């Protein structure tokens, strides 16, 4: 599935992430909590013409390898789907609107009688 393309023999450090670009092999420090993202630095030239049909990587021996790129994702099972026919909905007949009870105006409270004077 994968093949070695260039033997570079790069010594790998576990604190770095290695990746292959068209002009060489680069590394960048692994992201740690509370620290800013590091800058990438060039480790070595590989002198390859990269093909877009492959994914290039640095293997455990420090050499550049490549594997076929998975294009289009995972294949799915073919199933026959039948379109279910839905019956046409008939226009619903309008029901007469309910009559709402009209509220009568509220009665005014009876005026209070003046209090009796104390002697």
């Amino acid at each position: 599935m994968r093949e070695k393309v260039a033997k570079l023999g790069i010594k790998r450090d576990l604190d770095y992430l290695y990746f292959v670009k068209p002009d060489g092999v680069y590394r960048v420090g692994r992201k740690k909590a509370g620290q800013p993202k590091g800058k990438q630095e060039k480790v070595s030239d590989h002198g390859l013409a990269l093909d877009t049909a492959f994914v290039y990587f640095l293997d455990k021996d420090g050499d550049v390898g490549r594997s076929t790129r998975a294009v289009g994702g995972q294949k799915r099972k073919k199933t026959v789907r039948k379109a279910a026919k839905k019956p046409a909905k008939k226009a619903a007949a309008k029901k007469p609107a309910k009559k709402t009870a009209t509220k009568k105006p509220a009665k005014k409270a009876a005026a209070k009688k003046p209090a009796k004077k104390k002697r």
Side-chain angles (χ1 to χ4, degrees), residues 8-87:
L8 300 177
I10 296 172
K11 302 275 188 208
R12 295 183 61 139
D13 186 2
L14 294 179
D15 293 335
Y16 290 93
L17 177 72
Y18 293 85
F19 55 95
V20 179
K21 282 184 145 183
D23 60 331
V25 178
Y26 287 82
R27 75 179 186 174
V28 67
R30 293 190 187 269
K31 180 78 175 85
K32 295 175 187 166
Q35 292 184 352
K37 188 168 85 169
K39 286 193 171 186
Q40 62 188 20
E41 57 185 87
K42 192 171 188 176
V43 178
S44 154
D45 288 325
H46 53 62
L48 299 171
L50 302 184
D51 186 5
T52 57
F54 294 95
V55 176
Y56 292 85
F57 57 92
L58 198 69
D59 63 9
K60 63 182 178 183
D61 299 327
D63 302 329
V64 176
R66 73 179 186 178
S67 180
T68 54
R69 187 183 298 269
V71 179
Q74 187 176 5
K75 299 291 183 189
R76 290 179 174 73
K77 293 180 182 178
K78 291 184 179 181
T79 58
V80 179
R81 293 186 183 184
K82 294 182 180 178
K85 291 185 178 181
K86 295 183 180 179

